[in-house]
Amino acid sequence: MKHMKEDLKLLARYFPDASAQSGTPWALSDFYDAVHVPPPGIQVSPRVQHALPETTLYPFQTRAVDWLLRREGVAFSPSGTLEPVTENTPPASFRQTQDAMGQTCHISQLRGMAVLDLDAANGDALQSLRGGILAEEMGLGKTVELMALMTHHKRPAVPGKIFDAYTGAYVTPSGATLIITPPAILEQWISEVRSHAPHLKVFHYKGLPPPSAPKKEHAVATVENLLRYDIVVTTYNVLSKEIHYATPPPDRSSRNARRHERRKSPLVEIS
């Protein structure tokens, strides 16, 4: 960390970031200049349109779905099959400039690096990340675009459990999509899925029921039940109450055996 701070000081001195030094406040137009917009002229496979048979996607929506698929590492081939694709783009955190000798070099204020060859920057975290942020204006059909994405590119089923390095626990893989939404638009999500993508099974997860609740309420709040659906919709309030169940409790020795098994949230038992 100490060396990183020293590297950043050197970069700030010899390669100052013009945007950070200007002192000009950010404007809304700066956001639009920075985001990626798929160009209107790109060729998009007609297969993108086939995701939702009862809904016709606008051209800008098919371009958005194509971009989302590529961000997940796949694209339609000329034969109409989804195949892995590698985007040949420079690491996102680097910008091109010139050194004192006039040579072209690449600077990353984020990583504290100055390199002549971008191959030396392999492993850049921003380049290897999958997915992205769909930041279109309100009312342009982000819900429909995501339903098309979910239909085209479902996570393949993997038998057994996998180890989650973040929580240190074994979890069950699922091809479902978890949607966290404000309560005000939760029912809208469910309604739009049933309208545009009736082939997708959607479930509203309301959280772990109290211990005194009827057995049928406990039966739906299980891993086995959630695995039956393509989409699981819940709210941030529910997730925030159950996220602390993600990490297994410490293995402490006790003179007496635990009388009650610790409750587990199905949300954090599924990958």
Side-chain angles (χ1 to χ4, degrees), residues 11 15 91 93-99 103-108 111-122:
L11 284 177
F15 298 100
S93 57
F94 283 81
R95 61 186 176 90
Q96 184 175 308
T97 185
Q98 289 186 330
D99 63 13
Q103 297 183 92
T104 298
C105 61
H106 304 271
I107 308 299
S108 172
R111 297 184 62 188
M113 290 181 64
V115 296
L116 292 174
D117 186 358
L118 277 178
D119 289 338
N122 281 340

PDB file of all heavy atoms in Angstrom, residues 11 15 91 93-99 103-108 111-122:
ATOM      1  N   LEU A  11       2.877   9.646 -10.446  1.00  0.00           N
ATOM      2  CA  LEU A  11       2.019   9.812 -11.613  1.00  0.00           C
ATOM      3  C   LEU A  11       1.319  11.162 -11.598  1.00  0.00           C
ATOM      4  O   LEU A  11       1.195  11.824 -12.631  1.00  0.00           O
ATOM      5  CB  LEU A  11       0.970   8.686 -11.654  1.00  0.00           C
ATOM      6  CG  LEU A  11       1.455   7.314 -12.122  1.00  0.00           C
ATOM      7  CD1 LEU A  11       0.324   6.314 -12.024  1.00  0.00           C
ATOM      8  CD2 LEU A  11       1.976   7.382 -13.545  1.00  0.00           C
ATOM      9  N   PHE A  15       2.414  12.988 -14.709  1.00  0.00           N
ATOM     10  CA  PHE A  15       1.311  12.748 -15.647  1.00  0.00           C
ATOM     11  C   PHE A  15       0.004  13.178 -14.990  1.00  0.00           C
ATOM     12  O   PHE A  15      -0.838  12.334 -14.649  1.00  0.00           O
ATOM     13  CB  PHE A  15       1.228  11.273 -16.043  1.00  0.00           C
ATOM     14  CG  PHE A  15       2.441  10.757 -16.751  1.00  0.00           C
ATOM     15  CD1 PHE A  15       3.402  10.031 -16.068  1.00  0.00           C
ATOM     16  CD2 PHE A  15       2.621  10.988 -18.108  1.00  0.00           C
ATOM     17  CE1 PHE A  15       4.518   9.545 -16.716  1.00  0.00           C
ATOM     18  CE2 PHE A  15       3.740  10.512 -18.764  1.00  0.00           C
ATOM     19  CZ  PHE A  15       4.702   9.792 -18.066  1.00  0.00           C
ATOM     20  N   PRO A  91      -7.299  -2.115 -21.665  1.00  0.00           N
ATOM     21  CA  PRO A  91      -7.823  -2.050 -20.298  1.00  0.00           C
ATOM     22  C   PRO A  91      -8.519  -0.722 -20.040  1.00  0.00           C
ATOM     23  O   PRO A  91      -8.019   0.341 -20.410  1.00  0.00           O
ATOM     24  CB  PRO A  91      -6.564  -2.204 -19.440  1.00  0.00           C
ATOM     25  CG  PRO A  91      -5.598  -2.945 -20.314  1.00  0.00           C
ATOM     26  CD  PRO A  91      -5.878  -2.465 -21.703  1.00  0.00           C
ATOM     27  N   SER A  93      -8.946   1.135 -17.503  1.00  0.00           N
ATOM     28  CA  SER A  93      -8.410   2.126 -16.577  1.00  0.00           C
ATOM     29  C   SER A  93      -7.204   2.880 -17.125  1.00  0.00           C
ATOM     30  O   SER A  93      -6.645   3.738 -16.431  1.00  0.00           O
ATOM     31  CB  SER A  93      -8.020   1.440 -15.256  1.00  0.00           C
ATOM     32  OG  SER A  93      -7.095   0.398 -15.496  1.00  0.00           O
ATOM     33  N   PHE A  94      -6.782   2.589 -18.364  1.00  0.00           N
ATOM     34  CA  PHE A  94      -5.594   3.235 -18.920  1.00  0.00           C
ATOM     35  C   PHE A  94      -5.963   4.313 -19.938  1.00  0.00           C
ATOM     36  O   PHE A  94      -6.934   4.173 -20.674  1.00  0.00           O
ATOM     37  CB  PHE A  94      -4.683   2.197 -19.592  1.00  0.00           C
ATOM     38  CG  PHE A  94      -3.888   1.378 -18.626  1.00  0.00           C
ATOM     39  CD1 PHE A  94      -4.469   0.296 -17.980  1.00  0.00           C
ATOM     40  CD2 PHE A  94      -2.575   1.693 -18.348  1.00  0.00           C
ATOM     41  CE1 PHE A  94      -3.738  -0.456 -17.075  1.00  0.00           C
ATOM     42  CE2 PHE A  94      -1.832   0.944 -17.453  1.00  0.00           C
ATOM     43  CZ  PHE A  94      -2.423  -0.131 -16.803  1.00  0.00           C
ATOM     44  N   ARG A  95      -5.169   5.382 -19.968  1.00  0.00           N
ATOM     45  CA  ARG A  95      -5.330   6.427 -20.979  1.00  0.00           C
ATOM     46  C   ARG A  95      -3.983   6.629 -21.672  1.00  0.00           C
ATOM     47  O   ARG A  95      -2.922   6.432 -21.081  1.00  0.00           O
ATOM     48  CB  ARG A  95      -5.811   7.743 -20.357  1.00  0.00           C
ATOM     49  CG  ARG A  95      -4.876   8.350 -19.325  1.00  0.00           C
ATOM     50  CD  ARG A  95      -5.494   9.580 -18.654  1.00  0.00           C
ATOM     51  NE  ARG A  95      -4.638  10.110 -17.593  1.00  0.00           N
ATOM     52  CZ  ARG A  95      -3.703  11.014 -17.776  1.00  0.00           C
ATOM     53  NH1 ARG A  95      -3.495  11.523 -18.993  1.00  0.00           N
ATOM     54  NH2 ARG A  95      -2.973  11.456 -16.763  1.00  0.00           N
ATOM     55  N   GLN A  96      -4.047   7.032 -22.937  1.00  0.00           N
ATOM     56  CA  GLN A  96      -2.830   7.192 -23.721  1.00  0.00           C
ATOM     57  C   GLN A  96      -2.284   8.599 -23.582  1.00  0.00           C
ATOM     58  O   GLN A  96      -3.030   9.579 -23.565  1.00  0.00           O
ATOM     59  CB  GLN A  96      -3.128   6.892 -25.189  1.00  0.00           C
ATOM     60  CG  GLN A  96      -1.903   6.943 -26.098  1.00  0.00           C
ATOM     61  CD  GLN A  96      -2.232   6.517 -27.508  1.00  0.00           C
ATOM     62  OE1 GLN A  96      -2.811   5.455 -27.718  1.00  0.00           O
ATOM     63  NE2 GLN A  96      -1.882   7.359 -28.487  1.00  0.00           N
ATOM     64  N   THR A  97      -0.966   8.712 -23.471  1.00  0.00           N
ATOM     65  CA  THR A  97      -0.313  10.013 -23.380  1.00  0.00           C
ATOM     66  C   THR A  97       1.110   9.870 -23.922  1.00  0.00           C
ATOM     67  O   THR A  97       1.431   8.875 -24.576  1.00  0.00           O
ATOM     68  CB  THR A  97      -0.307  10.530 -21.920  1.00  0.00           C
ATOM     69  OG1 THR A  97       0.243  11.853 -21.890  1.00  0.00           O
ATOM     70  CG2 THR A  97       0.482   9.621 -21.006  1.00  0.00           C
ATOM     71  N   GLN A  98       1.984  10.849 -23.657  1.00  0.00           N
ATOM     72  CA  GLN A  98       3.384  10.784 -24.090  1.00  0.00           C
ATOM     73  C   GLN A  98       4.298  11.043 -22.909  1.00  0.00           C
ATOM     74  O   GLN A  98       3.987  11.851 -22.024  1.00  0.00           O
ATOM     75  CB  GLN A  98       3.659  11.814 -25.188  1.00  0.00           C
ATOM     76  CG  GLN A  98       3.006  11.473 -26.528  1.00  0.00           C
ATOM     77  CD  GLN A  98       3.436  12.437 -27.617  1.00  0.00           C
ATOM     78  OE1 GLN A  98       3.720  13.594 -27.357  1.00  0.00           O
ATOM     79  NE2 GLN A  98       3.483  11.960 -28.859  1.00  0.00           N
ATOM     80  N   ASP A  99       5.451  10.339 -22.914  1.00  0.00           N
ATOM     81  CA  ASP A  99       6.424  10.570 -21.838  1.00  0.00           C
ATOM     82  C   ASP A  99       7.339  11.734 -22.209  1.00  0.00           C
ATOM     83  O   ASP A  99       7.131  12.407 -23.226  1.00  0.00           O
ATOM     84  CB  ASP A  99       7.208   9.294 -21.540  1.00  0.00           C
ATOM     85  CG  ASP A  99       8.047   8.825 -22.733  1.00  0.00           C
ATOM     86  OD1 ASP A  99       8.211   9.613 -23.692  1.00  0.00           O
ATOM     87  OD2 ASP A  99       8.535   7.680 -22.699  1.00  0.00           O
ATOM     88  N   GLN A 103       7.612   9.501 -26.425  1.00  0.00           N
ATOM     89  CA  GLN A 103       7.113   8.170 -26.750  1.00  0.00           C
ATOM     90  C   GLN A 103       5.674   8.007 -26.253  1.00  0.00           C
ATOM     91  O   GLN A 103       5.306   8.548 -25.206  1.00  0.00           O
ATOM     92  CB  GLN A 103       7.984   7.086 -26.096  1.00  0.00           C
ATOM     93  CG  GLN A 103       9.412   7.037 -26.566  1.00  0.00           C
ATOM     94  CD  GLN A 103      10.161   5.890 -25.904  1.00  0.00           C
ATOM     95  OE1 GLN A 103      10.230   4.785 -26.429  1.00  0.00           O
ATOM     96  NE2 GLN A 103      10.722   6.151 -24.738  1.00  0.00           N
ATOM     97  N   THR A 104       4.904   7.243 -27.004  1.00  0.00           N
ATOM     98  CA  THR A 104       3.537   6.951 -26.570  1.00  0.00           C
ATOM     99  C   THR A 104       3.569   5.983 -25.397  1.00  0.00           C
ATOM    100  O   THR A 104       4.277   4.959 -25.440  1.00  0.00           O
ATOM    101  CB  THR A 104       2.730   6.323 -27.722  1.00  0.00           C
ATOM    102  OG1 THR A 104       2.652   7.257 -28.797  1.00  0.00           O
ATOM    103  CG2 THR A 104       1.322   5.958 -27.263  1.00  0.00           C
ATOM    104  N   CYS A 105       2.850   6.308 -24.346  1.00  0.00           N
ATOM    105  CA  CYS A 105       2.759   5.417 -23.195  1.00  0.00           C
ATOM    106  C   CYS A 105       1.331   5.431 -22.673  1.00  0.00           C
ATOM    107  O   CYS A 105       0.486   6.211 -23.148  1.00  0.00           O
ATOM    108  CB  CYS A 105       3.738   5.822 -22.089  1.00  0.00           C
ATOM    109  SG  CYS A 105       3.446   7.474 -21.418  1.00  0.00           S
ATOM    110  N   HIS A 106       1.060   4.569 -21.738  1.00  0.00           N
ATOM    111  CA  HIS A 106      -0.293   4.414 -21.208  1.00  0.00           C
ATOM    112  C   HIS A 106      -0.244   4.531 -19.688  1.00  0.00           C
ATOM    113  O   HIS A 106       0.578   3.882 -19.025  1.00  0.00           O
ATOM    114  CB  HIS A 106      -0.889   3.076 -21.626  1.00  0.00           C
ATOM    115  CG  HIS A 106      -0.898   2.876 -23.109  1.00  0.00           C
ATOM    116  ND1 HIS A 106      -1.949   3.284 -23.915  1.00  0.00           N
ATOM    117  CD2 HIS A 106       0.029   2.342 -23.954  1.00  0.00           C
ATOM    118  CE1 HIS A 106      -1.675   3.001 -25.172  1.00  0.00           C
ATOM    119  NE2 HIS A 106      -0.486   2.433 -25.225  1.00  0.00           N
ATOM    120  N   ILE A 107      -1.148   5.360 -19.142  1.00  0.00           N
ATOM    121  CA  ILE A 107      -1.144   5.689 -17.721  1.00  0.00           C
ATOM    122  C   ILE A 107      -2.444   5.209 -17.080  1.00  0.00           C
ATOM    123  O   ILE A 107      -3.519   5.337 -17.660  1.00  0.00           O
ATOM    124  CB  ILE A 107      -1.013   7.218 -17.510  1.00  0.00           C
ATOM    125  CG1 ILE A 107       0.184   7.762 -18.281  1.00  0.00           C
ATOM    126  CG2 ILE A 107      -0.900   7.559 -16.028  1.00  0.00           C
ATOM    127  CD1 ILE A 107       1.498   7.172 -17.870  1.00  0.00           C
ATOM    128  N   SER A 108      -2.326   4.644 -15.891  1.00  0.00           N
ATOM    129  CA  SER A 108      -3.503   4.295 -15.102  1.00  0.00           C
ATOM    130  C   SER A 108      -3.368   4.887 -13.708  1.00  0.00           C
ATOM    131  O   SER A 108      -2.571   4.412 -12.896  1.00  0.00           O
ATOM    132  CB  SER A 108      -3.672   2.777 -14.998  1.00  0.00           C
ATOM    133  OG  SER A 108      -4.702   2.453 -14.077  1.00  0.00           O
ATOM    134  N   ARG A 111      -4.455   2.196 -11.086  1.00  0.00           N
ATOM    135  CA  ARG A 111      -3.527   1.139 -10.688  1.00  0.00           C
ATOM    136  C   ARG A 111      -2.140   1.646 -10.346  1.00  0.00           C
ATOM    137  O   ARG A 111      -1.289   0.875  -9.902  1.00  0.00           O
ATOM    138  CB  ARG A 111      -3.426   0.096 -11.805  1.00  0.00           C
ATOM    139  CG  ARG A 111      -4.748  -0.616 -12.088  1.00  0.00           C
ATOM    140  CD  ARG A 111      -4.585  -1.696 -13.121  1.00  0.00           C
ATOM    141  NE  ARG A 111      -3.676  -2.739 -12.667  1.00  0.00           N
ATOM    142  CZ  ARG A 111      -3.235  -3.736 -13.439  1.00  0.00           C
ATOM    143  NH1 ARG A 111      -3.618  -3.789 -14.701  1.00  0.00           N
ATOM    144  NH2 ARG A 111      -2.429  -4.647 -12.971  1.00  0.00           N
ATOM    145  N   GLY A 112      -1.896   2.941 -10.559  1.00  0.00           N
ATOM    146  CA  GLY A 112      -0.571   3.475 -10.261  1.00  0.00           C
ATOM    147  C   GLY A 112       0.484   2.936 -11.206  1.00  0.00           C
ATOM    148  O   GLY A 112       1.587   2.598 -10.784  1.00  0.00           O
ATOM    149  N   MET A 113       0.147   2.851 -12.505  1.00  0.00           N
ATOM    150  CA  MET A 113       1.059   2.254 -13.475  1.00  0.00           C
ATOM    151  C   MET A 113       1.273   3.170 -14.672  1.00  0.00           C
ATOM    152  O   MET A 113       0.365   3.888 -15.076  1.00  0.00           O
ATOM    153  CB  MET A 113       0.509   0.912 -13.991  1.00  0.00           C
ATOM    154  CG  MET A 113       0.516  -0.210 -12.984  1.00  0.00           C
ATOM    155  SD  MET A 113      -0.135  -1.755 -13.693  1.00  0.00           S
ATOM    156  CE  MET A 113       1.089  -2.100 -14.959  1.00  0.00           C
ATOM    157  N   ALA A 114       2.497   3.135 -15.202  1.00  0.00           N
ATOM    158  CA  ALA A 114       2.837   3.778 -16.469  1.00  0.00           C
ATOM    159  C   ALA A 114       3.563   2.743 -17.303  1.00  0.00           C
ATOM    160  O   ALA A 114       4.622   2.239 -16.892  1.00  0.00           O
ATOM    161  CB  ALA A 114       3.710   5.009 -16.237  1.00  0.00           C
ATOM    162  N   VAL A 115       3.018   2.375 -18.473  1.00  0.00           N
ATOM    163  CA  VAL A 115       3.607   1.310 -19.297  1.00  0.00           C
ATOM    164  C   VAL A 115       3.713   1.781 -20.739  1.00  0.00           C
ATOM    165  O   VAL A 115       2.909   2.577 -21.215  1.00  0.00           O
ATOM    166  CB  VAL A 115       2.755   0.023 -19.230  1.00  0.00           C
ATOM    167  CG1 VAL A 115       2.727  -0.548 -17.827  1.00  0.00           C
ATOM    168  CG2 VAL A 115       1.331   0.265 -19.727  1.00  0.00           C
ATOM    169  N   LEU A 116       4.743   1.285 -21.428  1.00  0.00           N
ATOM    170  CA  LEU A 116       4.892   1.560 -22.851  1.00  0.00           C
ATOM    171  C   LEU A 116       4.053   0.585 -23.671  1.00  0.00           C
ATOM    172  O   LEU A 116       3.538   0.936 -24.730  1.00  0.00           O
ATOM    173  CB  LEU A 116       6.366   1.455 -23.254  1.00  0.00           C
ATOM    174  CG  LEU A 116       7.306   2.529 -22.696  1.00  0.00           C
ATOM    175  CD1 LEU A 116       8.749   2.210 -23.063  1.00  0.00           C
ATOM    176  CD2 LEU A 116       6.914   3.904 -23.217  1.00  0.00           C
ATOM    177  N   ASP A 117       3.927  -0.647 -23.181  1.00  0.00           N
ATOM    178  CA  ASP A 117       3.203  -1.703 -23.894  1.00  0.00           C
ATOM    179  C   ASP A 117       2.015  -2.135 -23.051  1.00  0.00           C
ATOM    180  O   ASP A 117       2.178  -2.534 -21.892  1.00  0.00           O
ATOM    181  CB  ASP A 117       4.143  -2.877 -24.138  1.00  0.00           C
ATOM    182  CG  ASP A 117       3.504  -3.958 -25.009  1.00  0.00           C
ATOM    183  OD1 ASP A 117       2.317  -3.796 -25.378  1.00  0.00           O
ATOM    184  OD2 ASP A 117       4.197  -4.939 -25.324  1.00  0.00           O
ATOM    185  N   LEU A 118       0.813  -2.073 -23.629  1.00  0.00           N
ATOM    186  CA  LEU A 118      -0.379  -2.455 -22.875  1.00  0.00           C
ATOM    187  C   LEU A 118      -0.403  -3.927 -22.503  1.00  0.00           C
ATOM    188  O   LEU A 118      -1.151  -4.322 -21.602  1.00  0.00           O
ATOM    189  CB  LEU A 118      -1.650  -2.117 -23.679  1.00  0.00           C
ATOM    190  CG  LEU A 118      -2.141  -0.669 -23.566  1.00  0.00           C
ATOM    191  CD1 LEU A 118      -3.358  -0.465 -24.444  1.00  0.00           C
ATOM    192  CD2 LEU A 118      -2.471  -0.320 -22.126  1.00  0.00           C
ATOM    193  N   ASP A 119       0.417  -4.755 -23.170  1.00  0.00           N
ATOM    194  CA  ASP A 119       0.485  -6.160 -22.782  1.00  0.00           C
ATOM    195  C   ASP A 119       0.987  -6.302 -21.346  1.00  0.00           C
ATOM    196  O   ASP A 119       0.686  -7.289 -20.668  1.00  0.00           O
ATOM    197  CB  ASP A 119       1.407  -6.940 -23.721  1.00  0.00           C
ATOM    198  CG  ASP A 119       0.785  -7.102 -25.107  1.00  0.00           C
ATOM    199  OD1 ASP A 119      -0.457  -6.997 -25.206  1.00  0.00           O
ATOM    200  OD2 ASP A 119       1.541  -7.328 -26.072  1.00  0.00           O
ATOM    201  N   ALA A 120       1.754  -5.303 -20.903  1.00  0.00           N
ATOM    202  CA  ALA A 120       2.256  -5.347 -19.524  1.00  0.00           C
ATOM    203  C   ALA A 120       1.153  -5.087 -18.517  1.00  0.00           C
ATOM    204  O   ALA A 120       1.345  -5.289 -17.318  1.00  0.00           O
ATOM    205  CB  ALA A 120       3.382  -4.319 -19.344  1.00  0.00           C
ATOM    206  N   ALA A 121       0.010  -4.615 -18.990  1.00  0.00           N
ATOM    207  CA  ALA A 121      -1.106  -4.308 -18.094  1.00  0.00           C
ATOM    208  C   ALA A 121      -2.125  -5.433 -18.040  1.00  0.00           C
ATOM    209  O   ALA A 121      -3.229  -5.247 -17.539  1.00  0.00           O
ATOM    210  CB  ALA A 121      -1.792  -3.013 -18.542  1.00  0.00           C
ATOM    211  N   ASN A 122      -1.784  -6.594 -18.574  1.00  0.00           N
ATOM    212  CA  ASN A 122      -2.708  -7.730 -18.539  1.00  0.00           C
ATOM    213  C   ASN A 122      -3.103  -8.041 -17.103  1.00  0.00           C
ATOM    214  O   ASN A 122      -2.285  -7.959 -16.188  1.00  0.00           O
ATOM    215  CB  ASN A 122      -2.076  -8.975 -19.174  1.00  0.00           C
ATOM    216  CG  ASN A 122      -2.122  -8.903 -20.685  1.00  0.00           C
ATOM    217  OD1 ASN A 122      -2.903  -8.162 -21.246  1.00  0.00           O
ATOM    218  ND2 ASN A 122      -1.275  -9.678 -21.343  1.00  0.00           N
TER     219      ASN A 122
END
